[in-house]
Amino acid sequence: MRFINQTWMERYNTEISEQLLTLFWSIIVSVFTIGGLVGSCVGGPLSIKYGRKGALLINNIFALLAAVSVGISYFSHFFELLIVARFLSGINAGVGMCVQILYLTEIAPRALRGALAMSTSIFLTGGIFIGQVVGLQELLGREEYWPILLSTTCIPAAAQLLTLPWFPESPRYLLIDKGNESACDKALKQLHGVNKYVKEKADIEKERLEALGVKPKKPWELFLDQRLRWQLLTIIVLNIFHQLNGINAIYFYTSYVFAESGIPEDKILYVALGTGLSEFFTAVIGGLLIESLGRKALIIGGYSLMTVWCFALTLTLTFQEASPWVPYLSMACVFAFILSFGLGPGSGVTGTLNSELFTQTVRPAACMIGLSVNWLSFFIISIVFPFVVGGLKQYCFLVFSAVCATVAVYTFFVVPETKNKTFLEIHEEFQSKRKRKIQVTGENVLSTSL
């Protein structure tokens, strides 16, 4: 904020008003989510036109431009470029989250598909934790270092530009989308070995035969296809409540809970590192468990535990002053909720299902829809959440408890287990459920008419 104030003073010889300063700061913060929404919308078309690997390489341009914009903003005293930089960083995040999950699920062996897809969440939470550490006052957290801190987006972008060209393109994209069998064989041999690629090739060939003559679908075409109704509803539900499950409320109350537990105000930032470390730790554990427990168990287990901790946190916050040890229970509930979130919906299972529930011609559009809903929910909750907390106080967690319980029940009854199944097998399982429902409905209509 000081940079904006100083720049305004240099331009107009007067201090910027508090309201205008707050407006500029809010735009700089929130425009990232708008960029993420745009990125998730363009990620699908980029992955279809340029391939999964090609789209990821192109995506690095946004990260590099964001870093350059920060540098120019600092040296030219043009703070408006910070808005551009944050928007470009959001696009980079949106495209990356969309295309990475496509690429990883399509190149992975069936038995390791979930674990490999979960690596996205592991590196994401690891990056958040590193950002928390680097942002400490002892490192780059001081005000004069903010241009360096915001320009670090160029580091992973440069690393990917140097390493990703050596990796193969998605074999599924090469065979099904492009019809290039020799390139597909070459990619499969590089990924699975000369002696083990035949089984993976057979799975891809079955999917290719199923998709003959079918072009990649547009997002709006998915809403018109009744065969995809339950898959589409599932990813919309999971992505909406990935943001609306109370995790933002937990982080909102973190500083208050830590302060009430007797932690000095200047030390809360260091204790808060534990929240980032907890998410990273559970993402790693989730990656290790996803192929043994399955996706469904992790989601149901995570949301069920979150239901309990939301209810418990409501009680501890309500009776916060009843006894000296109650604030410590609140702190335990905060960490328990974060661990449960990290092991379930926050572990990357939601993103994995965005890709797994659909076949090749539908997958990019489905990921676009799922992640667009996710980013849009994030943007809405960032606007509405302060009013919800202001009105309901700690009782907002009762609402979140009911939300988490609802998602757990929905997952139990609707979402199939996708562990160690081909994309076609998952698709056929949804279709068999749909056919059974149609048969039951037809029988009920017939009996009623008789």
Side-chain angles (χ1 to χ4, degrees):
M1 284 193 176
R2 183 182 297 178
F3 173 68
I4 299 175
N5 206 358
Q6 288 175 347
T7 304
W8 193 271
M9 178 69 77
E10 291 172 4
R11 289 182 190 174
Y12 307 108
N13 293 321
T14 182
E15 287 191 0
I16 188 172
S17 67
E18 189 69 27
Q19 294 85 353
L20 194 56
L21 180 61
T22 303
L23 175 63
F24 278 126
W25 183 252
S26 300
I27 292 173
I28 291 171
V29 172
S30 61
V31 77
F32 178 82
T33 59
I34 303 298
L37 178 61
V38 172
S40 62
C41 290
V42 303
L46 282 176
S47 68
I48 293 172
K49 185 172 183 179
Y50 299 104
R52 296 4 176 190
K53 189 176 82 169
L56 289 173
L57 289 171
I58 292 171
N59 188 38
N60 291 303
I61 296 173
F62 298 113
L64 295 175
L65 287 175
V68 171
S69 298
V70 170
I72 295 175
S73 173
Y74 177 73
F75 288 110
S76 66
H77 291 244
F78 194 67
F79 66 82
E80 289 86 352
L81 276 176
L82 291 178
I83 299 174
V84 176
R86 288 280 294 171
F87 180 70
L88 291 171
S89 293
I91 293 177
N92 174 257
V95 173
M97 291 177 68
C98 179
V99 182
Q100 280 177 17
I101 202 72
L102 286 174
Y103 183 62
L104 292 174
T105 53
E106 288 180 5
I107 68 171
R110 191 196 316 174
L112 297 175
R113 190 174 60 224
L116 194 57
M118 290 278 279
S119 65
T120 299
S121 180
I122 293 171
F123 283 103
L124 177 64
T125 54
I128 292 172
F129 177 67
I130 292 172
Q132 288 178 316
V133 173
V134 174
L136 294 173
Q137 291 289 322
E138 292 81 359
L139 296 175
L140 297 178
R142 283 183 285 181
E143 190 160 354
E144 61 267 28
Y145 293 146
W146 70 261
I148 300 174
L149 188 61
L150 292 182
S151 297
T152 53
T153 55
C154 66
I155 297 174
Q160 191 176 86
L161 284 171
L162 290 173
T163 56
L164 188 58
W166 301 97
F167 288 80
E169 179 56 89
S170 161
R172 276 185 161 77
Y173 172 78
L174 292 171
L175 184 61
I176 300 175
D177 290 71
K178 292 299 181 182
N180 193 336
E181 188 168 1
S182 60
C184 172
D185 289 342
K186 183 179 178 181
L188 284 171
K189 290 174 183 177
Q190 187 176 350
L191 289 166
H192 304 283
V194 177
N195 299 322
K196 296 182 179 180
Y197 82 97
V198 177
K199 184 179 179 181
E200 294 294 330
K201 173 72 178 295
D203 288 341
I204 299 174
E205 184 64 28
K206 288 179 184 177
E207 197 170 341
R208 184 188 72 82
L209 294 174
E210 187 77 15
L212 278 177
V214 180
K215 294 182 178 180
K217 288 185 177 290
K218 304 292 190 298
W220 54 87
E221 293 178 327
L222 271 60
F223 290 98
L224 301 176
D225 193 339
Q226 291 189 355
R227 297 171 301 173
L228 302 173
R229 180 179 297 170
W230 283 106
Q231 292 101 307
L232 198 58
L233 179 62
T234 295
I235 65 166
I236 289 174
V237 167
L238 292 180
N239 279 279
I240 286 177
F241 294 113
H242 183 262
Q243 296 295 341
L244 307 184
N245 55 39
I247 187 64
N248 297 287
I250 289 289
Y251 281 115
F252 181 86
Y253 270 96
T254 296
S255 296
Y256 167 75
V257 170
F258 290 164
E260 289 295 308
S261 301
I263 298 171
E265 187 175 348
D266 60 335
K267 303 297 181 185
I268 288 178
L269 187 63
Y270 300 93
V271 179
L273 290 176
T275 60
L277 187 61
S278 297
E279 279 205 63
F280 173 69
F281 175 74
T282 50
V284 173
I285 297 299
L288 296 173
L289 294 177
I290 190 170
E291 295 301 351
S292 55
L293 296 180
R295 291 68 158 149
K296 192 169 181 175
L298 288 180
I299 293 181
I300 294 174
Y303 274 114
S304 299
L305 289 172
M306 289 159 65
T307 302
V308 173
W309 300 128
C310 276
F311 184 77
L313 188 58
T314 304
L315 294 177
T316 58
L317 289 175
T318 301
F319 300 102
Q320 189 85 342
E321 298 178 0
S323 176
W325 50 265
V326 176
Y328 295 101
L329 286 180
S330 296
M331 187 186 294
C333 288
V334 166
F335 277 101
F337 184 95
I338 292 171
L339 288 169
S340 302
F341 172 78
L343 193 61
S347 64
V349 184
T350 302
T352 303
L353 289 176
N354 283 345
S355 180
E356 284 188 328
L357 297 185
F358 300 90
T359 53
Q360 186 73 15
T361 56
V362 181
R363 193 174 300 120
C367 284
M368 286 170 58
I369 293 172
L371 287 166
S372 296
V373 167
N374 199 307
W375 281 101
L376 188 59
S377 301
F378 183 33
F379 179 70
I380 292 172
I381 196 68
S382 65
I383 295 174
V384 176
F385 174 70
F387 299 100
V388 174
V389 174
L392 297 178
K393 305 297 183 184
Q394 71 270 22
Y395 298 106
C396 68
F397 288 107
L398 292 178
V399 178
F400 294 128
S401 181
V403 166
C404 292
T406 301
V407 179
V409 172
Y410 176 88
T411 304
F412 179 81
F413 286 106
V414 176
V415 183
E417 179 53 66
T418 60
K419 179 181 70 174
N420 204 26
K421 294 179 182 177
T422 66
F423 295 120
L424 274 181
E425 288 171 344
I426 298 167
H427 176 72
E428 288 167 1
E429 188 165 346
F430 268 108
Q431 296 311 304
S432 63
K433 285 185 178 181
R434 177 175 172 270
K435 289 176 182 177
R436 285 198 298 270
K437 185 176 180 180
I438 292 173
Q439 288 173 354
V440 170
T441 304
E443 290 172 0
N444 290 338
V445 171
L446 184 59
S447 62
T448 303
S449 64
L450 290 173

